[in-house]
Amino acid sequence: SNFTRSAGRQWQASSQQALARQSLQQMDHLWWTLRDTLDDYLDAAEYEIGVYQDVFSAISAYEGCASTSAQVASAYGRSLAAKDHAGRHLRASWRKSTNLMG
């Protein structure tokens, strides 16, 4: 009957809408989890860049006789630590992201 066909189409349409809504919610959750992971790495990378800028400033000051070799060495040591820190964040972000994607 027409009523049965109409009810069947309505049920199918509502099922498709529910599936689409669920898929969008899952995609949204995945996106924000990935975004959070990437932001953690980008924060570490931004810190690393700032430390490198400090090293370049220390070298420039040393060349202009405005700082000592100990100050340059200290800045260099901080840059190595920042590089390790950012590298750990990059590996952790990669691992978390690939686990999320399956």
Side-chain angles (χ1 to χ4, degrees), residues 32 34-45 93:
W32 287 110
L34 284 171
R35 174 67 193 264
D36 186 48
T37 301
L38 182 60
D39 284 347
D40 286 345
Y41 167 67
L42 291 176
D43 289 343
S93 295

Side-chain angles (χ1 to χ4, degrees), residues 11-67:
W11 178 82
Q12 186 178 19
S14 102
S15 293
Q16 288 174 344
Q17 287 176 345
L19 181 60
R21 190 176 310 112
Q22 181 182 13
S23 295
L24 284 173
Q25 287 173 338
Q26 289 174 340
M27 184 71 111
D28 185 65
H29 175 72
L30 180 64
W31 164 252
W32 287 110
T33 304
L34 284 171
R35 174 67 193 264
D36 186 48
T37 301
L38 182 60
D39 284 347
D40 286 345
Y41 167 67
L42 291 176
D43 289 343
E46 188 175 321
Y47 173 75
E48 181 184 19
I49 290 169
V51 172
Y52 286 151
Q53 289 172 337
D54 293 345
V55 171
F56 296 139
S57 294
I59 292 170
S60 180
Y62 180 76
E63 288 175 339
C65 299
S67 71

